Amino acid sequence: MAGLSLKAKNIAPLSVLVVIQLVAITMVNRHTFDTSLLDILKDTGGEMLAISVLAGWLSHLMPADLKNALVFLRWRNVLPGHRFIQLAEKDARIDIDLLKTRVADYESLKSDNKKQNSYWYREFYRPVTNQDEVASTHKSYLLYRDAAAVSLISAIILVLAKLLIDIQMAQIGFDSVWVFGIAIIGFIVAARNAGQRMVTTAIAVSLTTIVTE
C-alpha cells in the first residue's frame, strides 16, 4: 500500500494554522484572549475534523501554478527549480566546481530558466526525492504554500461576506482581514525559504551521493 502523500500529511498542521488564525480573529473582535478557544486543538473529532476537511478543500481551490506564483511573486518560471543554479551558487553546502562537472552546458543552462527546472527535477530531485532531508523541506514548502493560499481565500471570503451579508457578520469587523494579511505574508516568506532550501538540499544530497559512490 502506498504511503500518504506529503499534502495528506500536511492536513493536520494546516488545520492547526487555520485554528490559530481563527483564534486571532476572535481576539481582534472581542479584544480579549480566552484560553478555552485553544481547546479545539485537543478535539480528535467533531470541530477539528470539520476544520481539517475545510482546510483541505480550500487548499485545493487554487491551482498549484497560481499558489507557486503567489509564493514567489512571479507570473513566469515561478518555481525555485527554475533558478537552481543561481540558488546553488549561494549555498555553502554545494561544491560549485563539482556541480559544473555534473551539469552539461552549465553557463547556457544558467540563462534558460525553463530548462533549469526540467534539468533540476530530472537529474537532482527525482533520484533523491525519498531522502529525509529532501522530503522534509518539500513537505514544509507545500504546507506554507497551501497555508498562504488558504489564508488568501479566507480573506476574500470574509470581505465578500461583510459586503453582502453585513448584518449577519456584525460581530466580525473588517480589522479581521489584517489577521489573514499578516498570516499570508508570514506563510509566503516561510514557503519561499522552504522551497529554495528544498532545491539546494536536493542538489547537495545528490552530489554527496555521487562522491560517496
Side-chain angles (χ1 to χ4, degrees):
M1 180 182 292
L4 290 175
S5 68
L6 294 179
K7 283 183 66 69
K9 292 178 180 178
N10 276 336
I11 288 298
L14 179 61
S15 302
V16 171
L17 293 176
V18 170
V19 169
I20 291 173
Q21 290 176 79
L22 294 177
V23 170
I25 288 174
T26 302
M27 290 173 56
V28 167
N29 288 279
R30 293 182 181 176
H31 305 291
T32 59
F33 176 64
D34 185 354
T35 56
S36 65
L37 294 171
L38 296 176
D39 289 343
I40 190 175
L41 295 175
K42 304 175 184 178
D43 185 11
T44 57
E47 293 180 340
M48 198 61 190
L49 176 60
I51 289 175
S52 297
V53 173
L54 178 62
W57 174 62
L58 290 177
S59 72
H60 283 85
L61 286 182
M62 187 179 292
D65 287 344
L66 190 54
K67 286 189 280 191
N68 293 327
L70 173 64
V71 170
F72 293 101
L73 303 178
R74 294 170 178 265
W75 286 113
R76 298 178 60 187
N77 300 322
V78 298
L79 294 171
H82 284 116
R83 291 164 294 282
F84 85 82
I85 292 178
Q86 289 84 346
L87 292 173
E89 290 177 341
K90 298 176 182 177
D91 195 309
R93 298 173 300 167
I94 297 173
D95 184 334
I96 298 302
D97 291 332
L98 179 60
L99 180 63
K100 288 181 178 180
T101 62
R102 170 74 183 275
V103 179
D105 301 322
Y106 183 91
E107 293 300 331
S108 61
L109 187 63
K110 187 176 180 179
S111 61
D112 191 327
N113 295 123
K114 186 175 182 179
K115 288 184 178 179
Q116 271 197 67
N117 187 64
S118 298
Y119 191 96
W120 171 80
Y121 184 82
R122 181 181 66 253
E123 300 295 332
F124 293 111
Y125 175 72
R126 286 301 300 171
V128 298
T129 183
N130 293 321
Q131 293 284 338
D132 290 341
E133 303 98 317
V134 178
S136 177
T137 53
H138 191 186
K139 184 172 180 288
S140 295
Y141 171 65
L142 294 177
L143 171 61
Y144 295 121
R145 185 197 67 174
D146 285 354
V150 169
S151 296
L152 177 59
I153 293 172
S154 298
I156 294 173
I157 292 174
L158 175 60
V159 170
L160 291 177
K162 283 293 293 181
L163 292 175
L164 298 177
I165 52 173
D166 186 50
I167 296 179
Q168 291 85 344
M169 297 285 291
Q171 295 183 343
I172 306 295
F174 270 112
D175 290 346
S176 303
V177 177
W178 286 106
V179 173
F180 289 124
I182 293 172
I184 291 168
I185 293 173
F187 293 145
I188 284 176
V189 172
R192 184 178 302 175
N193 290 338
Q196 293 175 346
R197 189 70 173 178
M198 175 188 68
V199 167
T200 55
T201 297
I203 297 171
V205 171
S206 181
L207 292 178
T208 301
T209 301
I210 292 176
V211 172
T212 55
E213 290 178 350

